[in-house]
Amino acid sequence: MFRCDPVSGASCGTNLLAMWLDAEGRRGWAVGVSGVVLHYDGTRWQRDDTASAASGGKYLLAMWLDAEGRRGWAVGDSGVVLHYDGTRWQRDDTA
């Protein structure tokens, strides 16, 4: 399991490059350098280790989710694409 110094927060000091929040600010996602993916549950940000691993360590540069946060995409370096199905992020090698 991934661990970092709690002082640096959920991103562990990694630069975040894109973020999505629902209209109420109760749910959110952020992506960034080294393929980090963070999830916000309305209270705190946490690293999503499975999604972060799916990026293969490639920088994630942009993301989009629908208004309800039920489906989305994140894209990054070397053509890496992640797809969110409302439950989990997975790498999409067909994109």
Side-chain angles (χ1 to χ4, degrees):
M1 176 178 218
F2 177 84
R3 298 198 190 280
C4 72
D5 179 352
V7 174
S8 59
S11 72
C12 296
T14 301
N15 290 330
L16 300 172
L17 304 173
M19 184 178 92
W20 173 89
L21 287 171
D22 69 4
E24 294 81 30
R26 295 185 195 152
R27 292 176 297 134
W29 292 97
V31 297
V33 172
S34 300
V36 67
V37 178
L38 304 181
H39 179 247
Y40 181 67
D41 65 7
T43 304
R44 65 185 179 140
W45 289 95
Q46 287 188 297
R47 182 182 167 115
D48 183 325
D49 289 327
T50 303
S52 296
S55 72
K58 305 291 184 190
Y59 284 28
L60 295 170
L61 305 168
M63 67 184 323
W64 172 89
L65 281 94
D66 64 13
E68 295 81 27
R70 293 189 188 137
R71 59 194 165 117
W73 299 92
V75 296
D77 279 352
S78 303
V80 68
V81 176
L82 301 183
H83 178 251
Y84 183 67
D85 64 7
T87 305
R88 65 182 179 196
W89 290 94
Q90 292 183 305
R91 191 169 181 145
D92 185 344
D93 290 321
T94 64

